[in-house]
Amino acid sequence: MAHLSAPQEKHRLDYQPPHYWIDSIDLDVDLHDSATRVVAISQVRRNGHHNEPLILDGEDLLLSKVAVNGQPWSAYLAEPGKLTLSQLPSEFVLTIETQIDPAGNTALEGLYQSGSAFCTQCEAEGFRRITYYLDRPDVLARFSTRISADKARFPFLLSNGNRTGSGELADGRHWVSWQDPFPKPCYLFALVAGDFDLLQDSFTTRSGRRVALELYVDKGNLDRAGHAMASLKKSMAWDETRFGLEYDLDIYMIVAVDFFNMGAMENKGLNIFNAKFVLANPQTATDTDYFDIERVIGHEYFHNWTGNRVTCRDWFQLSLKEGLTVFRDQEFSSDLGSRGVNRIRNARLVQGPQFAEDAGPMAHPIRPDVVIEMNNFYTLTVYEKGSEVIRMLHTLLGEDAFQAGIRLYLGRHDGQAATCEDFVCAMEEASGRDLKQFRRWYSQAGTPVLTVRDEYDAHQQIYRLHVSQSTPATPRQPEKLPLHIPLSLALYDEQGRVIQSDGVAVDRVLDVQEPQQTFEFTGIGEKPVPALLQEFSAPVKLDYPFSEAQLTLLLGHAQNDYSRWDAAQRLVQNWIHQAVEQLARQQAPAVPVALARVLQQVLQDSRLDAALRAEILTLPSESSLLETFNQVDVDLLHKARQQLLRSLATAMQPALLSAYRSCQQGWEGLSAEAVGQRALAGVCLQLLSLADPALGDELVACQWREQSGMTLRLAALQAANQAQLPCRDALMAEFEAQWHHDGLVMDNWFRLQAQTPVAALTKVRGLLSHPSFSLSNPNRTRALVGTFCSANPVAFHAKDGSGYAFLAEILTELNRTNPQVASRLITPLIQFQRLDNDRQQLARQTLQRLAGLPDLARDLFEKIERALSQ
Ligand code: TRP
Ligand code: ZN
């Protein structure tokens, strides 16, 4: 890919400490829609003895003044992306005045407008769009901020830390000043101005300090703020009890905005959230929305210690804060809800989209080595696999040693910018465990494969497991070393009980460390059925030739919820793989009699939570099945999966109907029990609609009519849409008429349209001009375009190239307006490794065309270049 000015790669090993420190910065921000004036007065100090210039980062800034120690300074050079200052004293006050255009900022990075409010997003490198600065996380400064704006339009002016003053100005303007006592990197800076409804509450910490809690939402949304506030208080209490960590300021603010590129941001004392992760009441939000709000509120709160008090030295260390904080939010969700269900959902995310990332052109270690655009590395690998790496440490060390390691890490590095290596060192010292080999999880990309074979010696009562590991080559990492892999296992007898050896149940974690290793179990009285990789104890692919009988036994009897779910997934995968082969040979797939029988047993097993039954009965998605093939024709995969759904539904119809009816007994309210009943009812309704559309139509219409909660109404709509029931169009129209004014609710509707089994592309194209749709809103764009490309593989990967051409059109537009969103949407187009050759060619051609775009953003450049060079 020839390119005139190819963006520069940055390498982890090139890290150098900054030539200067900035100890404090006073920002004065005078807000005007298109001409906001920013004055930054910083205390700067040379780091060591040298004559290097001070090179500040800056993007899209209009420079109007530079002064050193109060005197105009002319020894500077302003170039695209930077400001170089020379002949500086060793310590000085630097004054920089710039002008920016928040109203014209469609990239939603830096200072921008969201609806009628101003807000900021500075992670990773957005602060440089507000002023010239050392925009790197290892420069920690004390921030004070003075904001002035029109008082009627912007009665609330917020920034980090404590409010220190306010006053009136001429022309109906006013000002408020803030001071953050904790030194911080500039990516944690935030500013908000607007008119909001405010929900106030408070939390008293374990040591008795009262913290004011303030939640700012768009006017008229107070009735949707309660769940987020309750979640915040639960987060604060949980971090005290489980991690011994208390909040450190007297105020904690959260602002919900409509325009936001990601989920939420942990700015010190002033979190800014995508409204999707704040607003909920039973009429507008589903149970999944409720769950996600609690999780994301927790995540951002937990960053206060893992991210803010101890931050990252450089962006290659991102997983230091994100992997650890995801681990913490997962534990929070598991302690408050169902551990089993949480583990299964996280495993789905890793085994589907994360494994796909590992197998694609963007594969990278959780601590990347080379980056062009940092925004491209807020990935499933850094976050989710990063969390799995922390979880493995927890498994290897146990809760007590793990917590001792956390205490050592936080105590040692409080107020500092640290590295992943610092974290592992603390864990190593606190536990006394040797983590030399374990460190490879940080440096090695790709998904390891664990191949397990076994043999049973009845005469000597010995059971042997032969375990080998290997990791496939990834771009720029052809050679892989063996990893330290915790392999959790239990052995079961034919009755489904854990086997005892010398009176002790065989249920333990093995340390897999060699390329090939054999584990021996003595005193095993019968040939066991092994439950391998219990609790998904490592982010690896497990290759073991399970028989159908073994999987059936594990599905029915395994003590670990994940293992039961995994057994069901493997039964389904095996059937799908056979069916795809049969379909390719123009043969009809076998009827899944045995599978229907065992799944029906799960459905009727009242000892299991409804939520867990729903998880087990939810078939893997087409995209996650794609990941289990080397190469496959997506049309055949779709056909096979549809056929399986219909056959299972038909075989289980009476049982599904009675389960559906009994779910209705307990599905009211917000209790975990009711949430589980609704989830199971949804799965049943979906299958019943496929088995018998007339019956489905009746049940769906009834559920739709009688329920006002969004979870049950949407489940009805989803069943109608997937099975193309007669009532589908009428219900979709009713939903639209009721909710067209509410973007967040309409996202559900856009998602359904994008997943429609017939003529989806025509629908999606038409909806681009729907009054509730806007390509400038990332939530809307992800709901309609993102869902079409990632959750409707048959339509997106259409053989005539229409799906790819559509995405290319959208990306051409977003490349100019919002490269971050563009770069997330392109993922299904660059992950073509599992597709047949024709489609791979088509995808490449599309990428080649995109590569020729004038002013291709670095975000897209990096991904397209990597994809095409594969
Ligand atoms: N730190 C944020 C989180 O943990 C991630 C984030 C929010 C982000 N907004 C962003 C990352 C914008 C890059 C760009 O969830
Ligand atoms: Zn985070």
Coordinates of all heavy atoms in Angstrom, one line a residue, residues 71-128:
Q71 N 6.5 36.9 29.9 CA 7.0 37.7 28.7 C 6.7 36.9 27.4 O 6.9 35.7 27.3 CB 8.5 37.8 28.8 CG 9.0 38.5 30.1 CD 8.4 39.9 30.3 OE1 8.4 40.7 29.4 NE2 7.8 40.1 31.5
P72 N 6.3 37.7 26.4 CA 6.0 37.1 25.1 C 7.3 36.3 24.6 O 8.4 36.8 24.8 CB 5.8 38.3 24.2 CG 5.3 39.4 25.1 CD 5.9 39.1 26.4
W73 N 7.1 35.1 24.1 CA 8.2 34.3 23.7 C 8.2 34.0 22.2 O 7.1 33.6 21.7 CB 8.1 33.0 24.5 CG 9.3 32.1 24.5 CD1 9.6 31.0 23.8 CD2 10.4 32.3 25.3 NE1 10.8 30.5 24.1 CE2 11.4 31.3 25.0 CE3 10.8 33.3 26.3 CZ2 12.6 31.2 25.7 CZ3 12.0 33.2 26.9 CH2 12.9 32.2 26.6
S74 N 9.3 34.2 21.6 CA 9.3 34.0 20.1 C 10.1 32.8 19.6 O 10.0 32.4 18.5 CB 9.8 35.3 19.4 OG 11.0 35.6 20.0
A75 N 10.8 32.2 20.6 CA 11.6 31.0 20.1 C 10.7 29.8 20.1 O 10.9 28.9 20.9 CB 12.8 30.8 21.1
Y76 N 9.8 29.8 19.2 CA 8.9 28.6 19.0 C 8.6 28.3 17.6 O 8.8 29.2 16.7 CB 7.7 28.7 19.8 CG 6.6 29.7 19.3 CD1 5.8 29.3 18.2 CD2 6.5 31.0 19.8 CE1 4.8 30.2 17.7 CE2 5.5 31.8 19.3 CZ 4.7 31.4 18.3 OH 3.8 32.3 17.8
L77 N 8.2 27.1 17.3 CA 7.9 26.7 15.9 C 6.6 25.9 16.0 O 6.5 24.9 16.7 CB 9.0 25.9 15.3 CG 8.7 25.4 13.9 CD1 8.6 26.5 12.9 CD2 9.8 24.4 13.5
A78 N 5.5 26.4 15.4 CA 4.3 25.7 15.3 C 4.2 24.9 14.0 O 4.3 25.5 12.9 CB 3.1 26.6 15.5
E79 N 4.0 23.6 14.1 CA 3.9 22.7 12.9 C 2.7 21.8 13.1 O 2.2 21.8 14.3 CB 5.2 21.8 12.8 CG 6.4 22.5 12.5 CD 7.6 21.6 12.7 OE1 8.0 21.3 13.8 OE2 8.2 21.2 11.7
P80 N 2.2 21.2 12.1 CA 1.1 20.3 12.3 C 1.4 19.3 13.4 O 2.4 18.6 13.3 CB 0.9 19.6 10.9 CG 1.6 20.5 9.9 CD 2.7 21.2 10.7
G81 N 0.5 19.2 14.4 CA 0.7 18.2 15.4 C 1.5 18.6 16.6 O 1.6 17.9 17.6
K82 N 2.4 19.7 16.4 CA 3.3 20.0 17.6 C 3.7 21.5 17.6 O 3.6 22.2 16.6 CB 4.5 19.1 17.5 CG 5.3 19.2 16.3 CD 6.5 18.2 16.4 CE 7.3 18.4 15.1 NZ 8.4 17.4 15.0
L83 N 4.1 21.8 18.8 CA 4.7 23.2 19.1 C 6.0 23.0 19.7 O 6.1 22.4 20.8 CB 3.7 23.9 20.0 CG 4.2 25.3 20.4 CD1 4.2 26.3 19.2 CD2 3.2 25.9 21.5
T84 N 7.1 23.5 19.1 CA 8.4 23.3 19.6 C 8.9 24.6 20.2 O 9.0 25.6 19.5 CB 9.4 22.8 18.5 OG1 8.8 21.6 17.9 CG2 10.8 22.5 19.1
L85 N 9.3 24.5 21.5 CA 9.8 25.7 22.2 C 11.3 25.5 22.6 O 11.6 24.5 23.1 CB 9.0 26.0 23.5 CG 7.5 26.3 23.3 CD1 6.7 25.4 24.2 CD2 7.2 27.7 23.5
S86 N 12.1 26.5 22.3 CA 13.5 26.4 22.6 C 14.1 27.5 23.4 O 13.4 28.5 23.7 CB 14.3 26.1 21.3 OG 13.8 26.9 20.2
Q87 N 15.3 27.4 23.8 CA 16.1 28.4 24.7 C 15.4 28.6 26.0 O 15.3 29.8 26.5 CB 16.2 29.7 23.9 CG 17.0 29.5 22.6 CD 16.8 30.6 21.6 OE1 16.6 31.8 22.0 NE2 16.8 30.3 20.3
L88 N 14.8 27.6 26.6 CA 14.0 27.8 27.8 C 14.9 27.7 29.0 O 15.9 27.0 29.1 CB 13.0 26.6 27.8 CG 11.9 26.7 26.7 CD1 11.2 25.4 26.6 CD2 10.9 27.8 27.0
P89 N 14.5 28.4 30.1 CA 15.1 28.2 31.4 C 14.8 26.9 32.0 O 14.0 26.1 31.4 CB 14.6 29.4 32.2 CG 13.3 29.8 31.6 CD 13.4 29.4 30.1
S90 N 15.4 26.5 33.1 CA 15.2 25.1 33.6 C 13.9 25.0 34.4 O 13.4 23.9 34.5 CB 16.4 24.7 34.5 OG 16.4 25.6 35.6
E91 N 13.4 26.1 34.8 CA 12.0 26.1 35.4 C 11.3 27.4 35.0 O 11.9 28.5 35.0 CB 12.1 26.1 37.0 CG 12.2 24.8 37.6 CD 12.1 24.8 39.1 OE1 11.2 25.5 39.6 OE2 13.0 24.2 39.7
F92 N 10.1 27.3 34.6 CA 9.4 28.5 34.1 C 7.9 28.3 34.1 O 7.4 27.2 34.2 CB 9.9 28.8 32.7 CG 9.7 27.7 31.7 CD1 8.6 27.7 30.9 CD2 10.7 26.7 31.6 CE1 8.5 26.6 30.0 CE2 10.5 25.7 30.7 CZ 9.4 25.6 29.9
V93 N 7.2 29.5 34.0 CA 5.7 29.4 33.8 C 5.5 29.6 32.3 O 5.9 30.6 31.7 CB 5.1 30.6 34.6 CG1 3.6 30.6 34.3 CG2 5.3 30.4 36.1
L94 N 4.7 28.7 31.8 CA 4.4 28.8 30.3 C 3.0 29.2 30.1 O 2.1 28.5 30.7 CB 4.7 27.4 29.7 CG 4.3 27.2 28.2 CD1 5.1 28.2 27.3 CD2 4.4 25.8 27.8
T95 N 2.7 30.2 29.4 CA 1.3 30.6 29.1 C 1.1 30.4 27.6 O 1.8 30.8 26.7 CB 1.1 32.1 29.4 OG1 1.5 32.3 30.8 CG2 -0.3 32.5 29.2
I96 N 0.0 29.6 27.3 CA -0.3 29.4 25.9 C -1.8 29.7 25.7 O -2.7 29.2 26.5 CB 0.0 27.9 25.5 CG1 1.5 27.7 25.5 CG2 -0.7 27.5 24.2 CD1 1.9 26.3 25.1
E97 N -2.1 30.5 24.7 CA -3.5 30.8 24.4 C -3.8 30.3 23.1 O -3.1 30.5 22.1 CB -3.7 32.3 24.5 CG -5.1 32.7 24.4 CD -5.3 34.2 24.5 OE1 -4.6 34.9 25.3 OE2 -6.2 34.7 23.8
T98 N -4.9 29.5 23.0 CA -5.4 28.9 21.7 C -6.9 29.1 21.6 O -7.6 29.4 22.5 CB -5.0 27.4 21.7 OG1 -5.5 26.8 22.9 CG2 -3.6 27.1 21.5
Q99 N -7.3 28.9 20.3 CA -8.7 28.9 20.1 C -9.2 27.6 19.4 O -8.4 27.1 18.6 CB -9.0 30.1 19.2 CG -10.5 30.4 19.0 CD -10.8 31.5 18.0 OE1 -10.3 32.7 18.2 NE2 -11.5 31.2 17.0
I100 N -10.3 27.1 19.8 CA -10.8 25.8 19.2 C -12.3 26.0 18.8 O -12.9 26.9 19.2 CB -10.6 24.7 20.2 CG1 -11.2 25.0 21.6 CG2 -9.2 24.3 20.4 CD1 -11.1 23.9 22.6
D101 N -12.7 25.0 18.1 CA -14.1 25.0 17.5 C -14.9 23.8 17.9 O -15.0 22.8 17.2 CB -13.9 25.1 15.9 CG -15.3 24.9 15.2 OD1 -16.3 25.1 15.9 OD2 -15.3 24.7 14.0
P102 N -15.4 23.8 19.1 CA -16.2 22.6 19.6 C -17.4 22.3 18.7 O -17.7 21.1 18.6 CB -16.6 23.0 21.0 CG -16.1 24.4 21.3 CD -15.3 24.9 20.1
A103 N -18.0 23.3 18.2 CA -19.3 23.0 17.4 C -18.9 22.3 16.1 O -19.7 21.5 15.6 CB -20.0 24.3 17.0
G104 N -17.7 22.5 15.6 CA -17.3 21.8 14.4 C -16.6 20.5 14.6 O -16.1 19.8 13.7
N105 N -16.6 20.0 15.9 CA -15.9 18.8 16.3 C -16.8 17.6 16.2 O -17.5 17.3 17.1 CB -15.3 19.0 17.7 CG -14.5 17.8 18.2 OD1 -14.5 16.7 17.5 ND2 -13.8 17.9 19.3
T106 N -16.8 16.9 15.1 CA -17.6 15.7 14.9 C -16.9 14.5 15.3 O -17.6 13.4 15.5 CB -18.0 15.6 13.4 OG1 -16.8 15.4 12.6 CG2 -18.9 16.7 12.9
A107 N -15.6 14.5 15.6 CA -14.8 13.3 16.0 C -15.1 12.9 17.4 O -14.7 11.8 17.8 CB -13.4 13.6 15.7
L108 N -15.7 13.8 18.2 CA -16.1 13.6 19.6 C -14.8 13.2 20.4 O -14.8 12.4 21.3 CB -17.1 12.4 19.7 CG -18.3 12.5 18.8 CD1 -19.3 11.4 19.1 CD2 -19.0 13.9 18.8
E109 N -13.8 13.9 20.1 CA -12.5 13.8 20.8 C -12.0 15.2 21.1 O -12.0 16.1 20.2 CB -11.5 13.1 19.9 CG -10.5 12.2 20.5 CD -9.5 11.7 19.5 OE1 -9.7 11.8 18.3 OE2 -8.6 11.1 19.9
G110 N -11.6 15.5 22.4 CA -11.3 16.8 22.8 C -12.5 17.5 23.3 O -13.3 16.8 24.0
L111 N -12.7 18.8 23.1 CA -13.9 19.5 23.5 C -14.9 19.5 22.4 O -14.6 19.9 21.3 CB -13.6 20.9 24.0 CG -14.7 21.8 24.4 CD1 -15.3 21.3 25.7 CD2 -14.2 23.2 24.6
Y112 N -16.2 19.0 22.7 CA -17.1 19.0 21.6 C -18.5 19.2 22.1 O -18.7 19.3 23.4 CB -17.1 17.7 20.8 CG -17.4 16.4 21.6 CD1 -18.8 15.9 21.7 CD2 -16.5 15.7 22.4 CE1 -19.1 14.8 22.4 CE2 -16.8 14.6 23.1 CZ -18.1 14.1 23.1 OH -18.4 13.0 23.9
Q113 N -19.5 19.4 21.3 CA -20.9 19.6 21.7 C -21.6 18.3 21.6 O -21.5 17.6 20.6 CB -21.5 20.7 20.9 CG -21.0 22.0 21.3 CD -21.7 23.2 20.6 OE1 -22.2 23.0 19.4 NE2 -21.8 24.3 21.2
S114 N -22.4 17.9 22.6 CA -23.3 16.8 22.6 C -24.7 17.4 22.8 O -25.0 17.8 23.9 CB -22.9 15.8 23.7 OG -23.9 14.8 23.7
G115 N -25.5 17.4 21.8 CA -26.8 18.1 21.9 C -26.5 19.5 22.2 O -25.7 20.2 21.6
S116 N -27.1 20.0 23.3 CA -27.0 21.4 23.7 C -25.9 21.6 24.7 O -25.7 22.7 25.2 CB -28.3 22.0 24.2 OG -28.8 21.1 25.2
A117 N -25.1 20.5 25.1 CA -24.1 20.7 26.1 C -22.7 20.6 25.5 O -22.5 20.1 24.4 CB -24.2 19.5 27.1
F118 N -21.7 21.1 26.2 CA -20.3 20.9 25.9 C -19.8 19.8 26.8 O -20.1 19.7 28.0 CB -19.5 22.2 26.3 CG -19.6 23.4 25.3 CD1 -20.5 24.4 25.7 CD2 -18.9 23.4 24.1 CE1 -20.6 25.5 24.9 CE2 -19.1 24.5 23.3 CZ -19.9 25.6 23.7
C119 N -18.9 19.0 26.2 CA -18.2 18.0 27.1 C -16.9 17.6 26.4 O -16.6 18.1 25.3 CB -19.1 16.7 27.3 SG -19.4 15.8 25.8
T120 N -16.1 16.9 27.2 CA -14.7 16.5 26.7 C -14.6 15.0 26.7 O -15.2 14.3 27.4 CB -13.6 17.1 27.6 OG1 -13.9 16.7 28.9 CG2 -13.6 18.6 27.6
Q121 N -13.7 14.5 25.8 CA -13.2 13.2 25.9 C -11.7 13.3 25.6 O -11.3 13.6 24.5 CB -13.9 12.2 24.9 CG -13.3 10.9 24.8 CD -13.1 10.2 26.2 OE1 -14.0 10.2 27.0 NE2 -12.0 9.5 26.4
C122 N -10.9 13.0 26.6 CA -9.4 13.2 26.4 C -8.6 11.9 26.2 O -7.5 11.9 25.6 CB -8.8 14.0 27.5 SG -9.5 15.7 27.5
E123 N -9.1 10.8 26.8 CA -8.4 9.5 26.5 C -8.6 9.1 25.1 O -9.8 9.2 24.6 CB -8.9 8.4 27.5 CG -8.0 7.2 27.4 CD -8.3 6.1 28.3 OE1 -9.4 6.2 29.0 OE2 -7.6 5.1 28.4
A124 N -7.6 8.6 24.4 CA -6.3 8.5 24.8 C -5.5 9.8 24.6 O -4.7 10.3 25.5 CB -5.6 7.4 24.1
E125 N -5.6 10.4 23.4 CA -4.8 11.6 23.1 C -5.6 12.8 22.6 O -5.3 13.4 21.6 CB -3.7 11.2 22.0 CG -2.8 10.1 22.6 CD -1.8 9.5 21.6 OE1 -2.1 9.4 20.4 OE2 -0.7 9.1 22.1
G126 N -6.7 13.0 23.4 CA -7.7 14.1 23.0 C -7.3 15.4 23.6 O -7.8 16.5 23.2
F127 N -6.5 15.4 24.7 CA -6.3 16.7 25.4 C -5.5 17.7 24.4 O -5.7 18.9 24.5 CB -5.5 16.5 26.7 CG -5.4 17.7 27.5 CD1 -6.5 18.1 28.3 CD2 -4.2 18.4 27.6 CE1 -6.4 19.2 29.1 CE2 -4.1 19.5 28.4 CZ -5.2 19.9 29.2
R128 N -4.7 17.1 23.5 CA -4.0 17.9 22.6 C -4.9 18.7 21.6 O -4.4 19.5 20.8 CB -3.0 17.0 21.8 CG -3.7 16.0 21.0 CD -2.6 15.0 20.3 NE -1.9 14.3 21.4 CZ -0.9 13.5 21.1 NH1 -0.5 13.3 19.8 NH2 -0.2 12.8 22.0

